[in-house]
Amino acid sequence: MSNKRREFLKLSGLAGIGMMGTGFTGLSQEEQEKVLVQSKRQYAQRFNMSGYAAPKLDVVRVGVIGLGMRGPGAVDRLSKIQGVEIKALCDLRPEMVDKVMKSLEGTSHKPATYSGSTYAWKKMVDRDDLDMIYIATPWQWHTPMAVYAMEAGKHAFSEVPIAIRLEECWQLVETSERTKKHCMQLENCCYDFFELMTLNMARDGFFGDVIHGEGAYIHDLLDLNFKKDTGYQDMWRLKENYRDGNIYPTHGLGPVCQIMNINRGDQMDYLTSLSSQDFHMKARAEELADQDDFYASFATKQFRGNMNTSLVKTKKGRSIMIQHDVSSPRPYSRIHLISGTKGMARKWPVPGISTGHGWMEEAEMKALEEKYTPEIVKKVGEMAKKIGGHGGMDFMMDWRLIDCLRNGLPLDQDVYDAALWSSITPLSEWSVANRSNSIDVPDFTAGSWETNKPVELTLKGGGTTGVNV
């Protein structure tokens, strides 16, 4: 370690903390130091992408990379949105490309195809007839592909998380500002019907001043993560679980951040994180290895703890709890709790709203739903349910994205949201490795959060894009 680095750690009061950590962490000492340094980085903004409206695109020409678990559904949804041309498809496996091409038979979309090579996607991105790249690949490819797309003059849209290291978060911000190309994380949960309603309620002041929010990804994926030939090529999703922290934070976090105006009036200040022990994953790996040599290498690994709980304090004194557990036998939940000075709402286990000691009755809930159902739901909500994708929120996300591009509107999520929400993973890993010590959350907006305008998810200036059903 350099003398300069030692001095930095002494001044920050954190010298040696990494050596005190107990339990498993996927972060080496060198990686922990990198996270610490990157968390304190000072940045001079080149161009503010918050509220940025790119030039209108009457027709949005799309290339899709990754046709495994999420890509085929995205292709199907995009093919039904008017003003979209699916120009190119790419996957490492030719059979996946062939399968999606077959699904497009009978439509107007006749995309070129790319496959069979690790970097076939670069040839696709280099085409001069694409406006945006839709990325649905394993997580480690999200940032490299998004950066390459922006450098090639295309807007970049990626499945979550868009980055897995803090360096990648900064790289996305720098590239988006320099190229003035949108870089959006495809956080579909921001378009869930209940989450959208609570955003509308917050904008109308129903909750008063928002005090606290909770989000989670609690989803029993133990069996799926260990299945062979499930669509997770080379078992990549299972391997991500070698990291001990909140490795998938954005589903529960995104809607809470939009309601709290994070990056747009408030900002995260610091984070602390704690993980339980692993009670399931290593045991399952060892059990399977006794039956199948394929799992022998996994049986030698250490996995993240079952439950990770991360806490964030904001600059304006709000608190956020984010949880992650995908190996315990529990019902699915993203929690989605919003608590304010006048009222609160929570989606799981059943939707509920309260302004006091008890929950509202069904008639009161119905009245609130009628009052606060947003325009986007009224316009495409029923079509979204029919077309599908997590109950319709996937389609609303894709339709809204295309409608914004076609009408030259700012997007509901920008590169600062993508970077911040994804940064929870490396920050939580650092905290878990260091006995839950707190760590600063980087300000990817370089201070512009104080003046950036909050998300107003209305159809003003847009809502003109049709749907083929």
Side-chain angles (χ1 to χ4, degrees):
M1 185 188 299
S2 68
N3 289 333
K4 186 176 181 181
R5 179 64 53 79
R6 286 195 186 95
E7 188 62 23
F8 171 80
L9 294 175
K10 285 179 183 178
L11 290 172
S12 66
L14 294 166
I17 283 179
M19 305 296 287
M20 295 162 55
T22 61
F24 165 74
T25 174
L27 291 179
S28 67
Q29 188 66 32
E30 181 180 1
E31 289 170 329
Q32 290 179 46
E33 292 173 13
K34 286 181 180 179
V35 171
L36 191 60
V37 171
Q38 292 289 332
S39 73
K40 296 180 178 295
R41 180 179 171 184
Q42 298 297 308
Y43 176 68
Q45 190 174 72
R46 179 189 292 256
F47 178 84
N48 190 356
M49 291 298 292
S50 182
Y52 172 69
K56 293 181 180 180
L57 297 168
D58 291 333
V59 176
V60 183
R61 301 168 299 175
V62 182
V64 180
I65 313 175
L67 302 172
M69 294 292 283
R70 293 285 292 161
V75 172
D76 178 65
R77 296 188 303 272
L78 289 166
S79 72
K80 292 177 171 62
I81 302 174
Q82 294 177 8
V84 169
E85 288 184 7
I86 300 175
K87 302 290 288 186
L89 300 174
C90 179
D91 193 276
L92 180 64
R93 298 159 293 180
E95 66 272 17
M96 304 305 290
V97 176
D98 293 341
K99 184 176 180 180
V100 174
M101 284 293 292
K102 188 172 181 61
S103 73
L104 290 174
E105 291 179 0
T107 73
S108 62
H109 302 281
K110 311 295 180 187
T113 60
Y114 298 80
S115 64
S117 167
T118 302
Y119 291 99
W121 60 272
K122 287 189 174 183
K123 294 181 180 179
M124 189 197 84
V125 174
D126 285 338
R127 293 172 63 104
D128 59 8
D129 61 349
L130 296 175
D131 301 303
M132 62 169 272
I133 305 299
Y134 198 112
I135 302 165
T137 61
W139 301 345
Q140 64 179 349
W141 289 100
H142 289 179
T143 293
M145 289 176 173
V147 168
Y148 192 89
M150 289 185 283
E151 296 283 11
K154 282 81 173 175
H155 300 301
F157 303 93
S158 171
E159 285 285 352
V160 304
I162 198 170
I164 56 179
R165 296 189 301 274
L166 281 187
E167 301 98 303
E168 292 181 329
C169 295
W170 284 112
Q171 188 181 14
L172 291 166
V173 169
E174 292 169 347
T175 306
S176 181
E177 290 183 355
R178 177 166 43 79
T179 62
K180 295 186 181 179
K181 291 298 176 183
H182 288 304
C183 179
M184 175 178 150
Q185 185 168 238
L186 295 164
E187 186 39 77
N188 53 351
C189 295
C190 290
Y191 299 87
D192 177 271
F193 292 75
F194 190 80
E195 273 91 323
L196 282 170
M197 186 177 80
T198 54
L199 176 62
N200 222 14
M201 294 168 71
R203 292 294 177 266
D204 193 50
F206 179 89
F207 302 114
D209 289 331
V210 176
I211 301 166
H212 175 73
E214 297 181 13
Y217 189 69
I218 297 172
H219 191 185
D220 186 359
L221 298 175
L222 185 63
D223 291 339
L224 180 62
N225 276 337
F226 277 99
K227 280 185 179 178
K228 294 185 286 187
D229 305 320
T230 59
Y232 293 131
Q233 196 264 339
D234 193 32
M235 304 294 282
W236 70 263
R237 185 74 181 258
L238 177 61
K239 294 174 182 177
E240 290 290 346
N241 289 276
Y242 299 158
R243 307 166 66 197
D244 199 5
N246 189 324
I247 65 172
Y248 202 63
T250 72
H251 280 340
L253 180 62
V256 171
C257 284
Q258 289 192 331
I259 287 170
M260 286 189 174
N261 295 330
I262 302 299
N263 282 340
R264 297 170 174 84
D266 198 358
Q267 185 58 285
M268 295 185 187
D269 191 2
Y270 61 90
L271 169 150
T272 184
S273 185
L274 178 147
S275 287
S276 73
Q277 195 67 21
D278 166 33
F279 289 87
H280 279 97
M281 298 201 77
K282 186 172 179 61
R284 176 61 60 87
E286 292 173 346
E287 175 188 354
L288 291 170
D290 287 340
Q291 306 164 19
D292 186 343
D293 286 343
F294 173 83
Y295 293 99
S297 63
F298 298 108
T300 66
K301 304 295 185 181
Q302 297 294 320
F303 293 86
R304 53 151 188 83
N306 280 50
M307 172 61 81
N308 176 272
T309 300
S310 297
L311 300 173
V312 173
K313 187 75 174 288
T314 77
K315 297 284 189 181
K316 293 196 172 180
R318 299 179 174 95
S319 56
I320 306 173
M321 182 190 79
I322 318 127
Q323 290 189 317
H324 176 273
D325 185 342
V326 295
S327 50
S328 301
R330 294 181 55 174
Y332 180 88
S333 174
R334 297 196 303 273
I335 301 179
H336 188 64
L337 182 147
I338 302 298
S339 177
T341 56
K342 294 181 179 179
M344 63 87 65
R346 177 171 177 149
K347 182 170 182 179
W348 277 275
V350 293
I353 296 172
S354 173
T355 56
H357 290 290
W359 296 103
M360 287 186 173
E361 299 293 337
E362 184 177 350
E364 294 176 289
M365 289 282 290
K366 184 67 175 176
L368 285 175
E369 183 179 350
E370 291 176 359
K371 180 178 180 180
Y372 288 113
T373 295
E375 292 177 272
I376 186 174
V377 174
K378 292 177 181 178
K379 184 172 181 66
V380 299
E382 289 305 313
M383 279 189 292
K385 289 178 182 178
K386 292 176 183 177
I387 294 170
H390 289 98
M393 63 185 183
D394 289 3
F395 180 78
M396 280 204 292
M397 173 186 69
D398 291 336
W399 178 86
R400 171 67 172 175
L401 166 60
I402 296 299
D403 192 61
C404 287
L405 291 176
R406 295 186 67 241
N407 287 285
L409 299 175
L411 304 183
D412 305 319
Q413 303 170 40
D414 57 36
V415 70
Y416 309 115
D417 301 318
L420 180 63
W421 302 351
S422 293
S423 75
I424 298 302
T425 294
L427 294 171
S428 65
E429 285 184 275
W430 185 94
S431 184
V432 167
N434 290 283
R435 295 177 60 85
S436 301
N437 276 276
S438 65
I439 184 168
D440 291 343
V441 179
D443 176 13
F444 296 102
T445 75
S448 66
W449 63 267
E450 297 187 78
T451 55
N452 290 340
K453 294 181 180 179
V455 172
E456 294 290 349
L457 211 165
T458 71
L459 298 183
K460 183 179 180 181
T464 61
T465 300
V467 180
N468 298 317
V469 292

